[in-house]
Amino acid sequence: SMIHHKPIIKIMASWHGNGEDATGMFLGSLGIVTAVGMFASPIPTMKRILEKQDIEDFDESPYVVSLTSTLLWVAYAVATPGRTAPLLTNLGGLILQAFYCAVFIIYSSGDAAIRVQRRVSQATAFVATACAIAATLPLAGVGDFLEKVECFTSVRPESHREGKS
């Protein structure tokens, strides 16, 4: 029976980096499970909105914030090699959050519709701006600067393993 689980364990290990780090794998796997639960938790609210075809008094803010968060996590995972778990987890979350925001846009009216569309546009523009700034940091030599600042280099795991503080 253990032979059948080895490919799954190898896949999970590749998602979480070092396959020998059982603590990291365990916590990372719990993080994935809880993230999926968090992304799916609005489903009853969405069902109600779809049935009534009205957002009623529901606030779109949590969905717009989650959309922003998943966009940033996807951008991070794409920009940082070896981040399969956050990429796949947040890509699924991004799809759900985009759907939730679309439901709010479709079933809101008047000022609420304008507000929802504006917030989603602002969130998207914020992430695009953050990505543009992040892309220019290496060109500006920020990485070299951060390497010289003790507070950034002292907390990296490699520093601890090498006995540096």
Side-chain angles (χ1 to χ4, degrees):
S1 66
M2 188 62 175
I3 294 172
H4 298 294
H5 297 290
K6 280 190 176 182
I8 294 170
I9 291 170
K10 284 182 181 179
I11 291 169
M12 292 296 290
S14 70
W15 286 4
H16 299 294
N18 182 356
E20 296 174 11
D21 181 8
T23 304
M25 273 186 58
F26 177 74
L27 293 174
S29 298
L30 284 178
I32 291 170
V33 170
T34 57
V36 169
M38 178 183 67
F39 295 143
S41 65
I43 290 174
T45 302
M46 293 302 130
K47 281 184 178 179
R48 181 172 166 172
I49 292 171
L50 291 169
E51 288 169 359
K52 296 194 177 225
Q53 296 187 354
D54 185 12
I55 64 167
E56 300 174 340
D57 290 331
F58 290 112
D59 183 13
E60 74 279 354
S61 298
Y63 310 102
V64 175
V65 170
S66 290
L67 177 71
T68 306
S69 176
T70 56
L71 279 168
L72 285 169
W73 274 108
V74 166
Y76 164 76
V78 167
T80 311
R83 304 290 184 207
T84 308
L87 176 62
L88 295 177
T89 304
N90 285 285
L91 200 52
L94 175 60
I95 292 166
L96 284 173
Q97 299 309 319
F99 172 73
Y100 300 154
C101 288
V103 167
F104 268 86
I105 290 170
I106 292 166
Y107 293 110
S108 59
S109 57
D111 290 342
I114 294 168
R115 183 187 68 238
V116 173
Q117 290 173 13
R118 184 181 65 243
R119 286 184 172 178
V120 169
S121 296
Q122 289 170 337
T124 306
F126 170 76
V127 172
T129 302
C131 289
I133 291 169
T136 63
L137 293 177
L139 299 174
V142 173
D144 295 335
F145 169 75
L146 294 178
E147 288 290 323
K148 294 175 184 169
V149 178
E150 179 64 25
C151 66
F152 290 106
T153 57
S154 64
V155 295
R156 290 187 306 184
E158 339 37 275
S159 298
H160 291 288
R161 278 191 227 119
E162 295 171 4
K164 299 178 185 175
S165 57

